[in-house]
Amino acid sequence: MNGSKAPADSDAPAWRPGAPGALLSLLGTDERAVAFFAGVADLDATDPDSHELEEGVRLASGARLEQFARAGSGDAYCFVGEGGEERPVVYVSLDGEAGLLALGLPELVRLCLVAPWWRDAPGRTPEELRAVADEYREDLPDFDRRREHAARALGIDLDELPSEATVLARLVERSRGPMAAACLVVGHEGDPLDPLFDAARP
């Protein structure tokens, strides 16, 4: 934590769309954003210099694969190619799985705000998913407060976010679409990592 963080009780959004690098910076420095994204959504961008992929893990296309955040398990969130926060985001797990999550950091942020339990979503029925979401909230009594503060820090209106069903359907769509093939991740022997989500599941 450093002195550049917005105070936890400030209502002023610190990020505006179009500001290069500003969203990622806030995810790692604003106390309100960190409390939700690192503490709830398991997306920790507080120490980007320490993020390093396993040796040999790369994109099959040869494009750049840049880790910018990690999960508590050590799994990696990575940008694909060159550019800024608009680049596709892939998730690379230490279990040898990888997959496209979002077309840009703003889309990933919205996914995490709406359904931070996204890892448990694919293949589940609506009833099972509701049970997962309810359990998540039970384990985090201050979930709504953290989420509201994080959204305010980023200038995002929670009422304007897509529904849970919409963001999860988009997640599945991303995993099956042509961009997913362009973001194929391979291991040190050149073999593709397993899909993060089983596209064969309904």
Side-chain angles (χ1 to χ4, degrees):
M1 305 294 180
N2 60 48
S4 66
K5 294 187 181 75
D9 59 353
S10 170
D11 287 338
W15 172 69
R16 289 289 184 274
L23 181 55
L24 180 58
S25 177
L26 279 175
L27 292 180
T29 61
D30 187 284
E31 291 177 0
R32 300 164 293 176
V34 171
F36 180 83
F37 286 93
V40 177
D42 202 19
L43 190 163
D44 186 350
T46 58
D47 189 11
D49 291 338
S50 71
H51 300 157
E52 187 174 346
L53 286 168
E54 276 191 72
E55 185 176 354
V57 173
R58 63 194 187 282
L59 287 170
S61 66
R64 184 182 183 193
L65 188 62
E66 177 191 351
Q67 184 174 351
F68 65 86
R70 69 174 64 197
S73 62
D75 294 352
Y77 293 88
C78 305
F79 285 126
V80 171
E82 303 293 337
E85 296 175 346
E86 79 287 350
R87 288 177 286 173
V89 176
V90 299
Y91 188 86
V92 182
S93 83
L94 295 180
D95 294 328
E97 299 174 336
L100 177 66
L101 290 187
L103 298 183
L105 187 59
E107 184 176 297
L108 176 64
V109 162
R110 284 167 171 77
L111 168 65
C112 290
L113 285 170
V114 173
W117 45 83
W118 60 264
R119 291 171 195 78
D120 296 321
R124 292 184 184 271
T125 65
E127 293 76 17
E128 290 171 338
L129 184 58
R130 177 47 48 202
V132 170
D134 289 345
E135 183 177 345
Y136 217 90
R137 289 175 179 273
E138 288 173 7
D139 291 341
L140 292 162
D142 60 347
F143 173 87
D144 289 327
R145 179 184 62 80
R146 288 199 200 186
R147 186 172 77 144
E148 181 181 351
H149 288 179
R152 189 178 300 142
L154 303 179
I156 295 172
D157 186 343
L158 290 176
D159 291 334
E160 295 180 359
L161 288 175
S163 68
E164 182 179 288
T166 296
V167 298
L168 294 177
R170 185 180 298 146
L171 186 63
V172 172
E173 179 185 334
R174 297 285 184 248
S175 72
R176 297 174 178 174
M179 184 60 72
C183 296
L184 181 66
V185 180
V186 299
H188 67 280
E189 295 183 352
D191 296 324
L193 299 188
D194 292 333
L196 187 61
F197 307 121
D198 185 351
R201 293 188 201 175

